[in-house]
mmCIF file of all heavy atoms in Angstrom:
data_model
loop_
_atom_site.group_PDB
_atom_site.id
_atom_site.type_symbol
_atom_site.label_atom_id
_atom_site.label_comp_id
_atom_site.label_asym_id
_atom_site.label_seq_id
_atom_site.Cartn_x
_atom_site.Cartn_y
_atom_site.Cartn_z
ATOM 1 N N ILE A 36 -11.778 2.293 33.664
ATOM 2 C CA ILE A 36 -12.856 1.318 33.935
ATOM 3 C C ILE A 36 -12.375 -0.076 33.496
ATOM 4 O O ILE A 36 -12.511 -1.061 34.265
ATOM 5 C CB ILE A 36 -14.150 1.601 33.130
ATOM 6 C CG1 ILE A 36 -14.664 2.991 33.580
ATOM 7 C CG2 ILE A 36 -15.165 0.505 33.213
ATOM 8 C CD1 ILE A 36 -15.810 3.492 32.731
ATOM 9 N N THR A 37 -11.683 -0.212 32.411
ATOM 10 C CA THR A 37 -11.189 -1.442 31.926
ATOM 11 C C THR A 37 -10.188 -1.260 30.844
ATOM 12 O O THR A 37 -10.123 -0.176 30.258
ATOM 13 C CB THR A 37 -12.339 -2.423 31.448
ATOM 14 O OG1 THR A 37 -11.808 -3.794 31.209
ATOM 15 C CG2 THR A 37 -12.914 -1.868 30.132
ATOM 16 N N THR A 38 -9.469 -2.295 30.601
ATOM 17 C CA THR A 38 -8.554 -2.320 29.371
ATOM 18 C C THR A 38 -8.959 -3.549 28.574
ATOM 19 O O THR A 38 -9.434 -4.554 29.110
ATOM 20 C CB THR A 38 -7.093 -2.332 29.740
ATOM 21 O OG1 THR A 38 -6.829 -3.588 30.512
ATOM 22 C CG2 THR A 38 -6.671 -1.151 30.606
ATOM 23 N N PHE A 39 -8.670 -3.553 27.284
ATOM 24 C CA PHE A 39 -9.071 -4.735 26.488
ATOM 25 C C PHE A 39 -8.231 -4.721 25.228
ATOM 26 O O PHE A 39 -7.665 -3.701 24.752
ATOM 27 C CB PHE A 39 -10.550 -4.657 26.087
ATOM 28 C CG PHE A 39 -10.889 -3.567 25.214
ATOM 29 C CD1 PHE A 39 -10.929 -3.716 23.804
ATOM 30 C CD2 PHE A 39 -11.387 -2.388 25.706
ATOM 31 C CE1 PHE A 39 -11.262 -2.644 22.975
ATOM 32 C CE2 PHE A 39 -11.749 -1.347 24.883
ATOM 33 C CZ PHE A 39 -11.700 -1.483 23.482
ATOM 34 N N ASP A 40 -8.101 -5.948 24.626
ATOM 35 C CA ASP A 40 -7.486 -6.111 23.298
ATOM 36 C C ASP A 40 -8.474 -6.995 22.526
ATOM 37 O O ASP A 40 -9.196 -7.882 23.109
ATOM 38 C CB ASP A 40 -6.147 -6.776 23.457
ATOM 39 C CG ASP A 40 -5.062 -5.844 23.768
ATOM 40 O OD1 ASP A 40 -4.809 -4.959 22.995
ATOM 41 O OD2 ASP A 40 -4.386 -6.058 24.805
ATOM 42 N N TYR A 41 -8.504 -6.827 21.241
ATOM 43 C CA TYR A 41 -9.294 -7.697 20.438
ATOM 44 C C TYR A 41 -8.693 -9.131 20.595
ATOM 45 O O TYR A 41 -7.519 -9.280 20.556
ATOM 46 C CB TYR A 41 -9.320 -7.319 18.990
ATOM 47 C CG TYR A 41 -10.335 -8.061 18.131
ATOM 48 C CD1 TYR A 41 -11.687 -7.570 18.138
ATOM 49 C CD2 TYR A 41 -9.965 -9.213 17.394
ATOM 50 C CE1 TYR A 41 -12.631 -8.362 17.422
ATOM 51 C CE2 TYR A 41 -10.947 -9.897 16.747
ATOM 52 C CZ TYR A 41 -12.285 -9.469 16.712
ATOM 53 O OH TYR A 41 -13.248 -10.179 16.060
ATOM 54 N N PRO A 42 -9.579 -10.154 20.753
ATOM 55 C CA PRO A 42 -9.079 -11.551 20.999
ATOM 56 C C PRO A 42 -8.122 -12.012 19.892
ATOM 57 O O PRO A 42 -8.339 -11.808 18.702
ATOM 58 C CB PRO A 42 -10.419 -12.358 21.100
ATOM 59 C CG PRO A 42 -11.456 -11.363 21.366
ATOM 60 C CD PRO A 42 -11.044 -10.104 20.742
ATOM 61 N N GLY A 43 -7.112 -12.725 20.384
ATOM 62 C CA GLY A 43 -6.144 -13.266 19.481
ATOM 63 C C GLY A 43 -4.746 -12.931 19.904
ATOM 64 O O GLY A 43 -4.502 -11.850 20.542
ATOM 65 N N THR A 44 -3.739 -13.717 19.523
ATOM 66 C CA THR A 44 -2.386 -13.446 19.920
ATOM 67 C C THR A 44 -1.744 -12.392 19.030
ATOM 68 O O THR A 44 -1.842 -12.529 17.809
ATOM 69 C CB THR A 44 -1.565 -14.861 19.864
ATOM 70 O OG1 THR A 44 -2.217 -15.749 20.715
ATOM 71 C CG2 THR A 44 -0.106 -14.559 20.283
ATOM 72 N N GLY A 45 -1.106 -11.397 19.627
ATOM 73 C CA GLY A 45 -0.238 -10.498 18.812
ATOM 74 C C GLY A 45 -1.095 -9.392 18.213
ATOM 75 O O GLY A 45 -0.540 -8.642 17.373
ATOM 76 N N ASN A 46 -2.385 -9.133 18.603
ATOM 77 C CA ASN A 46 -3.178 -8.150 17.993
ATOM 78 C C ASN A 46 -2.872 -6.794 18.639
ATOM 79 O O ASN A 46 -2.775 -6.662 19.874
ATOM 80 C CB ASN A 46 -4.680 -8.439 18.177
ATOM 81 C CG ASN A 46 -5.207 -9.581 17.359
ATOM 82 O OD1 ASN A 46 -4.605 -9.842 16.250
ATOM 83 N ND2 ASN A 46 -6.244 -10.218 17.775
ATOM 84 N N SER A 47 -2.797 -5.734 17.840
ATOM 85 C CA SER A 47 -2.743 -4.355 18.311
ATOM 86 C C SER A 47 -4.095 -3.748 18.175
ATOM 87 O O SER A 47 -4.678 -3.888 17.089
ATOM 88 C CB SER A 47 -1.722 -3.567 17.534
ATOM 89 O OG SER A 47 -0.363 -4.012 17.630
ATOM 90 N N THR A 48 -4.622 -3.205 19.206
ATOM 91 C CA THR A 48 -6.076 -2.752 19.308
ATOM 92 C C THR A 48 -6.136 -1.221 19.350
ATOM 93 O O THR A 48 -5.468 -0.604 20.144
ATOM 94 C CB THR A 48 -6.829 -3.408 20.486
ATOM 95 O OG1 THR A 48 -6.565 -4.789 20.422
ATOM 96 C CG2 THR A 48 -8.248 -3.039 20.461
ATOM 97 N N LEU A 49 -6.894 -0.680 18.428
ATOM 98 C CA LEU A 49 -7.015 0.784 18.323
ATOM 99 C C LEU A 49 -8.440 1.183 18.392
ATOM 100 O O LEU A 49 -9.129 1.264 17.279
ATOM 101 C CB LEU A 49 -6.374 1.341 17.075
ATOM 102 C CG LEU A 49 -4.880 1.179 16.885
ATOM 103 C CD1 LEU A 49 -4.476 -0.153 16.321
ATOM 104 C CD2 LEU A 49 -4.371 2.283 15.935
ATOM 105 N N PRO A 50 -9.041 1.409 19.564
ATOM 106 C CA PRO A 50 -10.455 1.895 19.635
ATOM 107 C C PRO A 50 -10.526 3.279 18.993
ATOM 108 O O PRO A 50 -9.613 4.067 19.019
ATOM 109 C CB PRO A 50 -10.708 2.002 21.187
ATOM 110 C CG PRO A 50 -9.662 1.122 21.806
ATOM 111 C CD PRO A 50 -8.487 1.255 20.878
ATOM 112 N N GLN A 51 -11.709 3.599 18.429
ATOM 113 C CA GLN A 51 -11.874 4.885 17.809
ATOM 114 C C GLN A 51 -13.063 5.701 18.348
ATOM 115 O O GLN A 51 -12.824 6.880 18.659
ATOM 116 C CB GLN A 51 -12.170 4.620 16.299
ATOM 117 C CG GLN A 51 -11.029 4.044 15.509
ATOM 118 C CD GLN A 51 -9.839 4.951 15.286
ATOM 119 O OE1 GLN A 51 -10.008 6.075 14.911
ATOM 120 N NE2 GLN A 51 -8.689 4.427 15.689
ATOM 121 N N LYS A 52 -14.218 5.138 18.520
ATOM 122 C CA LYS A 52 -15.386 5.877 18.944
ATOM 123 C C LYS A 52 -16.165 5.012 19.916
ATOM 124 O O LYS A 52 -16.125 3.741 19.879
ATOM 125 C CB LYS A 52 -16.211 6.457 17.822
ATOM 126 C CG LYS A 52 -15.516 7.251 16.769
ATOM 127 C CD LYS A 52 -15.433 8.676 17.234
ATOM 128 C CE LYS A 52 -14.607 9.448 16.202
ATOM 129 N NZ LYS A 52 -15.116 9.436 14.833
#
Side-chain angles (χ1 to χ4, degrees):
I36 298 174
T37 188
T38 61
F39 67 89
D40 281 301
Y41 192 83
T44 302
N46 289 333
S47 297
T48 306
L49 293 85
Q51 295 288 312
K52 303 280 174 55

